[in-house]
Amino acid sequence: MKRAKQIIERLIFDRPIKIGTRVANRYEICSFIGQGSYGLVYKVKDHELNDICVLKQARRSRKKSYLRSPFHYERISLQKLVLYSYFPNVREEIVENDHYFLAEDIIEGKTFEEIVFHDHKMYSVNEAFTILQQLLEIVEVMHENQIVHRDLRLPNIIVNGDMIKVIDFGLSRSLVNQKKHVQLNSHQCIDEKPLMREIAPQSDLYALGHTTLFLLYSSFQPHNRKEESWEEELTLPNDAVSIIRKLLQRETPYRTASEARREVEAFLFNSITP
């Protein structure tokens, strides 16, 4: 019943805004991009700057759960990262007719979700770990600025040429004054969602472990119907297995993104050195 009620509330309260509508007398809705659990996203024309950007709209059906602006954390995080080209810039936060909006620069390119599942691109081990190296450099920047993303999944990572960018900071949090990360031993049961949502650097590293596995599985050809673990199914060098296990906290986890990046760089160097 609760699920049905949520669906009905979304149908009533969360309808996309009509094409051509202006928000704050500035942003004209051009097209509806999509939606997630927290909101709707539009491509809009900014009539003040005379360009195209993105406008996010929070779900009215979730209004009761908002203790503050639903875009508070995203806005704060992106403002701290404004000097870096890896992330979208925030234009402004808007409250209009009981709706919350956030305007951001548009990030052109394709998400890894589109590339892997729709374009069916296949990545070699070296290609996957080169991408991991780039992502760790980006995560280093976030963590150095005391920001943890907590949602580094394929749809939130965009590729444009040789450039990788990260979007959707809705679940991001500050690392300032957070409790120390609790290290698990290899025999403890690991629950994925709490690790992804932990306010600690390791949550982003854990997510990158899964992202790397998705890239590696893009070129995987199953030989039988029996489902096995990734370590059994994928043919990987021992050093590559160890790196992924540390990211996933199956071995002593990396303390920082810098530590992980150095091991990835060493792996890539050794893989091309005769």
Side-chain angles (χ1 to χ4, degrees):
M1 289 293 293
K2 184 178 179 181
R3 176 63 176 165
K5 182 181 177 182
Q6 289 175 338
I7 293 172
I8 293 170
E9 286 179 345
R10 286 189 177 186
L11 290 173
I12 295 172
F13 295 113
D14 300 333
R15 295 178 182 176
I17 299 173
K18 291 181 179 179
I19 305 300
T21 302
R22 283 204 191 188
V23 174
N25 200 34
R26 174 177 175 178
Y27 302 100
E28 181 182 348
I29 306 296
C30 297
S31 63
F32 176 59
I33 296 176
Q35 58 186 310
S37 59
Y38 288 89
L40 297 84
V41 186
Y42 308 89
K43 182 180 284 189
V44 299
K45 181 175 182 179
D46 183 342
H47 283 274
E48 186 173 303
L49 298 181
N50 196 31
D51 66 359
I52 300 297
C53 68
V54 165
L55 188 69
K56 296 185 174 184
Q57 176 191 10
R59 289 188 182 278
R60 289 187 69 195
S61 61
R62 296 180 62 95
K63 184 180 177 182
K64 292 179 182 178
S65 67
Y66 300 150
L67 300 178
R68 61 178 83 193
S69 162
F71 296 117
H72 172 79
Y73 292 112
E74 181 157 10
R75 175 176 56 81
I76 294 297
S77 295
L78 289 175
Q79 286 174 342
K80 287 184 177 180
L81 298 169
V82 68
L83 297 178
Y84 303 94
S85 60
Y86 301 124
F87 319 104
N89 289 325
V90 170
R91 300 197 176 189
E92 64 174 322
E93 191 172 2
I94 304 158
V95 181
E96 182 176 82
N97 299 326
D98 208 27
H99 287 276
Y100 288 92
F101 298 93
L102 186 70
E104 297 179 358
D105 289 353
I106 193 165
I107 301 295
E108 301 289 355
K110 286 188 174 184
T111 67
F112 272 116
E113 183 176 57
E114 294 172 307
I115 294 169
V116 171
F117 294 109
H118 299 291
D119 297 347
H120 303 293
K121 179 173 173 56
M122 295 188 291
Y123 291 94
S124 67
V125 173
N126 274 25
E127 287 172 332
F129 274 80
T130 299
I131 291 167
L132 174 59
Q133 178 188 356
Q134 293 175 274
L135 287 170
L136 285 166
E137 290 172 357
I138 295 171
V139 169
E140 278 186 79
V141 169
M142 291 191 292
H143 293 179
E144 286 168 0
N145 285 274
Q146 299 300 304
I147 298 296
V148 59
H149 189 280
R150 303 201 310 153
D151 199 20
L152 286 172
R153 299 176 298 113
L154 297 183
N156 294 334
I157 305 169
I158 290 181
V159 182
N160 189 345
D162 295 329
M163 189 75 175
I164 294 178
K165 299 192 177 189
V166 171
I167 61 170
D168 201 346
F169 280 73
L171 294 178
S172 66
R173 294 293 185 271
S174 171
L175 286 168
V176 177
N177 297 326
Q178 291 300 323
K179 295 179 181 179
K180 186 177 180 182
H181 169 71
V182 178
Q183 182 177 318
L184 302 177
N185 63 53
S186 59
H187 299 293
Q188 287 179 282
C189 179
I190 297 179
D191 192 353
E192 180 176 326
K193 192 165 185 178
L195 286 176
M196 283 278 287
R197 299 294 182 253
E198 185 182 11
I199 305 177
Q202 286 74 19
S203 65
D204 286 343
L205 301 182
Y206 181 83
L208 291 188
H210 280 281
T211 296
T212 305
L213 285 177
F214 273 114
L215 298 180
L216 292 168
Y217 266 103
S218 68
S219 55
F220 172 69
Q221 298 294 329
H223 299 293
N224 55 61
R225 295 182 180 180
K226 181 183 176 182
E227 186 174 337
E228 298 176 310
S229 72
W230 64 268
E231 292 176 72
E232 295 170 311
E233 290 183 330
L234 298 174
T235 303
L236 300 173
N238 290 336
D239 288 348
V241 172
S242 179
I243 289 170
I244 296 173
R245 284 181 60 84
K246 290 177 184 177
L247 291 171
L248 297 178
Q249 303 187 34
R250 297 290 179 174
E251 292 183 14
T252 302
Y254 295 112
R255 292 169 296 176
T256 65
S258 301
E259 182 184 357
R261 176 183 53 78
R262 288 192 294 270
E263 283 207 5
V264 172
E265 288 175 347
F267 166 75
L268 289 170
F269 177 79
N270 292 333
S271 67
I272 62 174
T273 303

